[in-house]
Each structure stands twice: as structure tokens, then as C-alpha cells.
Amino acid sequence: MNHIKTINKANLKKTAAKGGCGKCQASCQSACKTSCTVANQKCEREA
Amino acid sequence: MIHKYKLGGYNVLLDVNSGGVHLVDDLTYDLLDNVEPPFQKECPGEVVKKLSKSYKDDDIRECYEEIVSLYNDGILFSEDDYEKFALSAVASPVKAMCLHISHDCNLRCKYCFASTGDFGQGRKLMDFETGKRAIDFLIEKSADRYFLELDFFGGEPSMNFDAVKQIVEYARSQEGPHNKKFRFTITTNGIHLTDDMIDFINKEMYNVVLSIDGRKEVNDRMRVRADGSGSYDTITKNFKRLVDKRPKDRDWYVRGTYTKYNLDFSNDVMHLYDLGFDQISVEPVMADASEPYAITEAELPAIFSEYEVLSQKIAKIRKEGKFINFFHFMLDLDQGPCAIKRLRGCGCGNEYVAVTPDGDIYPCHQFVGIKDYKMGNLYEGTFDLDMKNDFAHAHVYTKPECKKCWAKFYCSGGCNANNYMYAGDIHNAHKLSCQIQKKRLECAILMKAVELMDTAE
Ligand code: SF4
Ligand code: SF4
Ligand code: SF4
């Protein structure tokens, strides 16, 4: 492509079907706590 | 839904529902103001005409085809089909707990949301019996969850360190029989950290959060002792001792708060880095607008440009091959959590609860002391499942502003407690937080995109 450079390959949609198992860390984002964006959490579901 | 913005000489294009990130030229950027699905085979004549003042006709047509091809690939203007998952949100096991081990503090930080430690409930330490009951409660409510997070919080946890030790020991003794693994975190202001405490923390705590605001004059303006003296000299020494002795595979970070007094907070981040702390979180104070240090709309332009400055400073350090981690710029564009997790957010009141020295249960540490949000009590054996259910349903698709927000899969609907305190309801987005959040995300997405592009080349 000459005009658009796509950066990432993953598609969020695929993650929805098998996701939501809840094994990952809770993720408070407030100023007084763990404070990272949810979008950085590690997924802990076994493949 | 798409979101596009210009930053640092780049044009960034985000496809919200697929998470697709694209860097585009000016033509694409402008063309997207004029076209959207349903697409035709060729670029409509009036659009070509409109843009032909600035671009060549052939280029416009070619660009249109590229847009259509990404659309067909499902990474541009992709459908929002997540609502069905959101609607199936159910109450989940409790997997994380904030233990208010000490409603007392040896500092009097001026912006403290806990009313300098006691959450407006009187200074009090948690006894072992309450801690033990909290552990039992967590194990019982966690169903089949294996990893359980337990955060020692305050006030200042080191003021009740014997109880911390006893509770950790008790929790460890329960791991085997119940097939659980505890991950402990402790947050400390660093005023009173003995070698013994440091060794215990480094051995048992999966993560440790070290509170410091940055430069001495910045830190000592807000983080003061009861006699008004600053804490900087003591805590920097103590934190260094802790970090130096910490095993390399264990997490830790320094975290600070910026206020109206240090809108040039990138200098505080760099100061912490220069002190040798390379895991850093520095965040805006949340306070009533009437407080002199509060951040208000008026400060936003300065804050926005400061995040840009900060991202440049961090990019420069990384270009030199050195390590620095700024928490709010951490973002995983390729893996990261599933969409469901992203739309559920922090899980407070559902997967996560806070327990006070009296054994009262609240949705999270920020709700502690708010009567209407008391969920139960460990001694009375009460736990409000209706409230838990309400929190389970507080996600991006039940929050009107979030539902239509481009940042929803990164922000996950913001902080319920802030929403309640500053926007009147856990479902109402707190606009000021949103604006800061979105700016940080724009910076973070661009930084990540540029990094990925550089490694690809
Ligand atoms: S562990 Fe992974 S799949 Fe499971 S809820 Fe968390 S992010 Fe989603
Ligand atoms: S809290 Fe604000 S920034 Fe976050 S998703 Fe909701 S509207 Fe968007
Ligand atoms: S409501 Fe806010 S403070 Fe409470 S856990 Fe969620 S993000 Fe953290």
C-alpha cells in the first residue's frame, strides 16, 4: 500500500469468542493503585 | 468507528472495534473526512473533485481503493458486535482484595484521598483475626480461580507490619489445602522501612508500590510529615535500599501524583529515572475542583503538551538502547487482554473488593467510607450480592459515553469510583479523566506504532 501502513496484525474480535475467562489480574487503573491501562494486562488463559 | 489524530509528525488512524492501528499519509487523513461505508467500487466523483485542489486525482482514487481493501479485510470501519458479550456479563468469583491493614499514616500528604490515612473513620489498625477472616472470605468467594491477589494498603501498611507478616503466613498455609496461589502487593510511603521489612517484602511480595512524587521540591510540597517537614530525603534512601535488594524477577514501581503545582511533570518522571528508578507511574491528582492543587479544565492544554514532551523524552532514552517503563504508556497492540476483559475494566465490586480494619467490605479502596457502598461485613457474615451484580454490569456498554468512545477498549470505562465521586454515578464518565486518558492513549499508541514500525524495517 502506498498511503496506509498497517501496524498491528492482531484483531480484537477474535479474542472475544474465547475470552472472558477471568483468570487474569484485576486491573485497577486509579491513581493510587496498579495504575496501568487494562490494554496492557497479560492474558493468562491457557491456549 | 474510527479515530484519527495527528501527533509528532504522524497521522494515526485507529479502527476501534478491531483494534487495528494504521499510519497514514495526509491524503488518506483528509479523504477519511469525506468517505465512509457503504463504499462504492470507485471513489465518488464529487470527493475526487473536492480534494483535487491538494492532491492528484489518480492518487485520490488509489487511496480510496486502499481504504476499501482494509474495510473488506475487517480492519477499518469494522462492526461493533461486542454488545452481545457485554450483555452476558455475569457476577464472577472474587479474585482480588485490597486489605486496609492500617487506617493510620505517618505522613499527611495534602492530596490524600483517604483523609490522610483514616478514610474519615478514625485511626485504626487491622488485627490478625480480621485479616484471617478476609483471607478465608477471599478463598471461599474465589471459586475455581487459582491466582488470588491481595494488596496490603492503607493508610500506611508498614505501621502494622506484624499483622502483614501474620496474614501472609496464614494465607500461605492455606494455599496447599485450597489449591490457590496468593500474589501479594504492598504499597508504602517509605518513611519507615527497616531492613527486616525490606527483606520480607522482597521475599513475599509479588509487587511493591513505592510512593514518591518526583523532584524534592515537588514531593516535599505535598508529601509531608505531621510537623510539616518533607519526606524526600528519607524515602529516596529507603526505596533505593529496597530496589537494590529486590530479586530481578519481582515487580516493583515508583508511583507519584502530579498536581496543578507541577504541570511540568515530565521533569519528575525524568528525576525518578535519574535516581535509578526505571519503573515509573506518575498520574494526575483527583480532587475537588475547589482544592488549590486540583487539576481542572484550565490545566488541560498544559497537561496535553506535557504528555507529548514526556513521550519524546522516553522515546529518546529507548533509542539509546536503555530501559524505562512509564505505566500509562504501556500498551500491547498485538496481544494484550481479550475484548471481554477490556470492556469489563477494573472489576471492582465484582471480582475485586476492599476490606477495612472493622471487617467492612466495599467495592474497592476508593469507595471505603461511603455508606451507600458498604457491601457487607466479615463479622456479620454479610455480602450484598445485588450490589455485586450491579457492579458486574457496570461495563463499557452500560456507560452511555463509553459506549460511543473511541478509547473504550483501552480505557475500559474509566474508574467507577471517580465516576461516582465527580460525575454523580458509576456509569457517568468523568470528563476530565477522560480527556487526560485519551491524550495519554494517543501518545501511547503512537509510541508503540513507531516502535513496531522501526523494528519491522
Ligand atoms: S485471562 Fe485472557 S481470555 Fe481470560 S479474561 Fe483475562 S484476558 Fe480474557
Ligand atoms: S471513561 Fe471516558 S475515556 Fe474511558 S471509555 Fe469511557 S468515555 Fe471513553
Ligand atoms: S473503581 Fe477506580 S479505584 Fe476502584 S478498582 Fe476500579 S479503577 Fe480502581
Side-chain angles (χ1 to χ4, degrees):
Chain A
M1 297 222 176
N2 294 323
H3 305 277
I4 305 177
K5 198 173 195 111
T6 297
I7 297 297
N8 57 348
K9 293 177 192 64
N11 192 325
L12 208 48
K13 295 212 168 188
K14 291 197 194 117
T15 69
K18 278 192 185 163
C21 71
K23 287 187 180 145
C24 48
Q25 244 183 302
S27 38
C28 170
Q29 336 186 32
S30 93
C32 47
K33 274 274 174 134
T34 36
S35 70
C36 52
T37 58
V38 174
N40 182 61
Q41 294 277 304
K42 283 183 214 115
C43 176
E44 301 211 35
R45 189 169 62 83
E46 295 95 46
Chain B
M1 192 192 315
I2 61 165
H3 174 66
K4 60 189 178 72
Y5 59 97
K6 290 178 182 282
L7 189 63
Y10 294 92
N11 300 326
V12 184
L13 169 62
L14 180 73
D15 182 52
V16 173
N17 294 314
S18 69
V21 177
H22 316 275
L23 295 178
V24 304
D25 61 6
D26 289 339
L27 167 54
T28 315
Y29 199 88
D30 293 341
L31 185 53
L32 282 167
D33 288 329
N34 297 282
V35 300
E36 63 177 16
F39 288 110
Q40 302 164 16
K41 230 177 157 240
E42 273 176 24
C43 189
E46 71 270 15
V47 175
V48 178
K49 201 167 151 213
K50 189 172 167 196
L51 291 177
S52 62
K53 278 172 233 113
S54 321
Y55 306 101
K56 285 196 209 119
D57 289 7
D58 285 348
D59 286 347
I60 299 169
R61 290 199 187 87
E62 181 185 66
C63 184
Y64 186 84
E65 281 170 21
E66 291 187 10
I67 290 172
V68 175
S69 121
L70 293 183
Y71 170 71
N72 290 335
D73 288 345
I75 46 177
L76 202 58
F77 296 108
S78 60
E79 279 305 314
D80 184 344
D81 45 18
Y82 294 105
E83 198 151 1
K84 58 176 183 285
F85 295 108
L87 294 177
S88 70
V90 283
S92 312
V94 181
K95 64 182 176 189
M97 180 183 274
C98 181
L99 210 52
H100 289 231
I101 194 80
S102 163
H103 274 190
D104 195 0
C105 191
N106 43 19
L107 281 184
R108 295 291 179 270
C109 303
K110 291 177 186 156
Y111 47 53
C112 183
F113 80 95
S115 313
T116 68
D118 74 350
F119 290 79
Q121 297 183 324
R123 303 198 172 270
K124 215 175 250 176
L125 301 179
M126 181 180 284
D127 61 13
F128 171 64
E129 177 58 27
T130 307
K132 179 173 173 291
R133 282 177 187 243
I135 298 288
D136 292 342
F137 175 88
L138 179 56
I139 290 174
E140 182 200 321
K141 301 292 177 204
S142 65
D144 62 347
R145 294 286 184 271
Y146 179 64
F147 289 114
L148 302 182
E149 293 155 55
L150 194 91
D151 190 0
F152 292 101
F153 203 66
E156 172 51 33
S158 66
M159 292 182 77
N160 194 14
F161 209 76
D162 285 341
V164 171
K165 282 181 165 172
Q166 278 178 294
I167 293 166
V168 167
E169 190 189 355
Y170 175 71
R172 290 277 185 240
S173 77
Q174 299 301 304
E175 287 181 324
H178 296 280
N179 191 31
K180 302 285 175 190
K181 185 86 195 154
F182 278 94
R183 287 172 171 170
F184 299 108
T185 294
I186 194 165
T187 303
T188 178
N189 63 24
I191 284 291
H192 180 63
L193 276 180
T194 62
D195 281 327
D196 181 54
M197 288 177 188
I198 287 176
D199 290 342
F200 186 83
I201 289 171
N202 282 344
K203 176 163 170 272
E204 293 289 355
M205 304 285 163
Y206 183 75
N207 201 345
V208 42
V209 184
L210 311 168
S211 302
I212 175 172
D213 285 350
R215 291 164 292 179
K216 182 175 162 87
E217 63 275 19
V218 170
N219 184 82
D220 286 356
R221 184 162 184 179
M222 300 305 275
R223 304 191 67 82
V224 293
R225 293 185 176 84
D227 67 4
S229 64
S231 56
Y232 178 93
D233 293 332
T234 308
I235 65 179
T236 45
K237 251 185 265 147
N238 286 341
F239 289 162
K240 269 194 199 151
R241 268 169 47 230
L242 187 148
V243 170
D244 285 345
K245 290 172 91 174
R246 193 151 176 84
K248 291 286 163 267
D249 59 340
R250 291 292 174 96
D251 289 339
W252 61 274
Y253 61 96
V254 289
R255 66 153 302 279
T257 303
Y258 70 82
T259 70
K260 192 193 258 176
Y261 299 147
N262 61 319
L263 295 173
D264 62 342
F265 56 87
S266 76
N267 292 318
D268 294 292
V269 174
M270 289 305 126
H271 180 78
L272 293 168
Y273 177 73
D274 291 338
L275 285 176
F277 303 120
D278 52 12
Q279 301 273 10
I280 306 165
S281 168
V282 171
E283 302 161 67
V285 71
M286 283 299 145
D288 195 86
S290 63
E291 299 288 354
Y293 54 80
I295 284 167
T296 64
E297 295 269 336
E299 279 72 53
L300 288 179
I303 289 174
F304 290 173
S305 58
E306 195 60 15
Y307 276 113
E308 292 182 22
V309 170
L310 179 60
S311 58
Q312 284 154 9
K313 288 180 176 175
I314 290 175
K316 185 164 171 276
I317 290 173
R318 296 207 177 127
K319 265 231 156 82
E320 291 162 3
K322 293 185 221 146
F323 177 84
I324 178 168
N325 191 12
F326 181 71
F327 274 61
H328 271 141
F329 288 161
M330 280 161 84
L331 199 65
D332 192 331
L333 290 182
D334 265 321
Q335 271 128 19
C338 66
I340 315 269
K341 159 97 174 175
R342 287 169 189 247
L343 56 87
R344 285 191 192 156
C346 68
C348 88
N350 181 29
E351 299 176 308
Y352 172 59
V353 294
V355 172
T356 71
D358 293 321
D360 289 336
I361 306 168
Y362 287 92
C364 83
H365 56 292
Q366 290 261 22
F367 283 102
V368 165
I370 303 175
K371 260 213 199 88
D372 288 348
Y373 279 99
K374 186 172 148 181
M375 294 184 85
N377 179 283
L378 294 175
Y379 288 94
E380 290 158 14
T382 46
F383 189 44
D384 186 341
L385 293 178
D386 289 333
M387 196 188 296
K388 185 171 186 292
N389 203 37
D390 287 346
F391 274 98
H393 288 90
H395 52 65
V396 164
Y397 285 84
T398 55
K399 298 177 180 177
E401 286 103 323
C402 301
K403 193 174 166 176
K404 43 182 209 272
C405 172
W406 68 263
K408 58 187 171 187
F409 291 116
Y410 302 94
C411 164
S412 305
C415 166
N416 289 331
N418 276 344
N419 291 355
Y420 171 74
M421 280 182 266
Y422 303 112
D425 189 292
I426 60 169
H427 299 89
N428 293 351
H430 175 231
K431 299 257 159 42
L432 190 70
S433 301
C434 297
Q435 292 179 71
I436 297 176
Q437 169 75 294
K438 288 191 241 183
K439 183 65 193 188
R440 285 194 303 239
L441 283 169
E442 288 189 345
C443 290
I445 291 169
L446 175 66
M447 281 175 85
K448 197 74 207 179
V450 171
E451 272 173 34
L452 287 173
M453 192 175 63
D454 286 351
T455 41
E457 269 164 13

